[in-house]
Amino acid sequence: MKWEGNRESDNVEDRRDEGYGGGGGGGFGVGGRSIGIGAIVVALLGGWVLGVNPLTSLGLLSGGQPAQVQQQAPAHRPPADDPMAKFVSTVLADTEDVWTDIFRQGGATYRDPKLVLFHGTTQTSCGQGQAAMGPFYCPGDQKVYIDLDFYQTLRDRLGAPGEFAQAYVIAHEVGHHVQNLMGISQKMDEMRSRVSQREYNALSVRLELQADCFAGVWANHAQAARHILEQGDVESAMNAAAKIGDDALQRSAGRAVVPDSFTHGTSAQRQRWFSTGLQTGSVKACDTFSAKGV
């Protein structure tokens, strides 16, 4: 992936020096309500890889609202000599340029999200974030959170190496931010109390697949404007999409594949929708909610 020398975003907060602090105790609450271990397991399984913050899911499962946390001291920018921070800052800047242009063409204004680098745990407007959750987006503060150690997990445990696979991770989370700005996330929240868990899981799959498609839209426009793709990049992203399908994750965990429990989509679905965005570059083509059979 060709990214060196491109613009870096100013919207990156480095909290990695906070370490693994964040309090002890035997559990945590969301929206002032305690959450049982069963709900925690459901949320983590649903949002572990490339999804909306599982803490938001916990709030929905308990009927509570996302937790409000105390304002932290302003985070500093990452050091200039940190190559991985430089990489994610550059990818974030590229998403800013693409989505600003797309929103402008649609007569709207894009609001940049923040990207928070943390290590271990960190506070969010959705509750306490943990590295074990994988990267996530919190709509409450419009921030993407990532512990960069996840990229080692992506490469070594999930078998998805490559810089463009790493960029896909960020672009997917930014896709959730786009959904938030478009009001799609709010509509999902409103549906939670109206449908069964099975029906909500099906809607969650469509939400995640749309974020995959939006990641492809970003890649299409970035390639047209800045020629970022090198040989093998698309294949690495498609491989990552395959490795994080619900069916693939359930098999790799030694569990039976249970379609009704899917919240992110199968490997084939994730590949299909990322490819749709990449090939068309069209937001309208990413209407997973109207698509039959996704």
Side-chain angles (χ1 to χ4, degrees):
M1 177 180 173
K2 299 177 182 177
W3 61 272
E4 294 92 341
N6 291 344
R7 182 179 75 84
E8 295 180 46
S9 174
D10 294 326
N11 293 309
V12 179
E13 301 178 3
D14 193 349
R15 300 183 189 172
R16 289 173 293 177
D17 52 4
E18 292 179 358
Y20 284 88
F28 57 90
V30 177
R33 297 179 181 227
S34 61
I35 304 298
I37 188 65
I40 294 173
V41 170
V42 169
L44 291 182
L45 288 176
W48 177 55
V49 181
L50 303 185
V52 176
N53 186 353
L55 294 172
T56 301
S57 298
L58 288 172
L60 294 173
L61 287 168
S62 67
Q65 297 297 318
Q68 297 299 316
V69 298
Q70 292 183 344
Q71 195 77 357
Q72 294 178 306
H76 56 78
R77 296 187 61 182
D81 60 351
D82 184 330
M84 187 53 69
K86 192 177 185 72
F87 170 75
V88 297
S89 297
T90 303
V91 173
L92 182 65
D94 210 307
T95 66
E96 292 168 353
D97 293 342
V98 166
W99 286 110
T100 294
D101 187 54
I102 291 175
F103 270 57
R104 183 188 301 116
Q105 291 179 18
T109 300
Y110 181 69
R111 296 194 302 274
D112 297 339
K114 297 283 187 180
L115 175 65
V116 178
L117 307 179
F118 72 99
H119 196 55
T121 65
T122 192
Q123 289 296 329
T124 83
S125 291
C126 299
Q128 187 177 39
Q130 299 181 13
M133 296 171 178
F136 60 86
Y137 172 71
C138 176
D141 53 27
Q142 298 190 3
K143 294 180 180 181
V144 172
Y145 292 84
I146 183 170
D147 183 325
L148 293 178
D149 288 346
F150 173 77
Y151 284 146
Q152 183 176 349
T153 300
L154 187 68
R155 181 186 68 238
D156 298 340
R157 287 182 53 191
L158 298 179
E163 287 182 335
F164 195 60
Q166 296 172 348
Y168 160 58
V169 170
I170 297 173
H172 174 100
E173 299 304 336
V174 171
H176 284 307
H177 176 65
V178 172
Q179 290 171 322
N180 190 31
L181 296 182
M182 294 174 67
I184 298 170
S185 303
Q186 293 88 329
K187 291 180 180 179
M188 276 286 293
D189 289 347
E190 293 169 1
M191 288 298 296
R192 180 65 187 90
S193 61
R194 304 176 187 174
V195 298
S196 68
Q197 186 62 53
R198 177 181 177 181
E199 291 170 323
Y200 188 75
N201 286 348
L203 289 172
S204 177
V205 166
R206 292 177 184 268
L207 187 78
E208 294 296 335
L209 294 178
Q210 186 176 63
D212 281 334
C213 189
F214 285 169
V217 169
W218 158 73
N220 174 288
H221 288 258
Q223 172 66 5
R226 287 170 287 282
H227 307 288
I228 64 170
L229 296 179
E230 296 180 299
Q231 185 174 0
D233 281 346
V234 173
E235 290 79 6
S236 72
M238 293 290 280
N239 176 56
K243 297 295 185 182
I244 59 177
D246 283 324
D247 52 342
L249 290 174
Q250 289 182 352
R251 288 193 191 97
S252 66
R255 299 167 54 212
V257 175
V258 183
D260 285 349
S261 70
F262 290 173
T263 57
H264 287 63
T266 66
S267 297
Q269 287 173 325
R270 301 200 74 162
Q271 288 180 315
R272 171 193 165 191
W273 283 102
F274 174 77
S275 181
T276 295
L278 178 63
Q279 296 299 321
T280 67
S282 168
V283 171
K284 291 182 179 180
C286 295
D287 185 5
T288 56
F289 291 91
S290 298
K292 294 183 178 179
V294 292

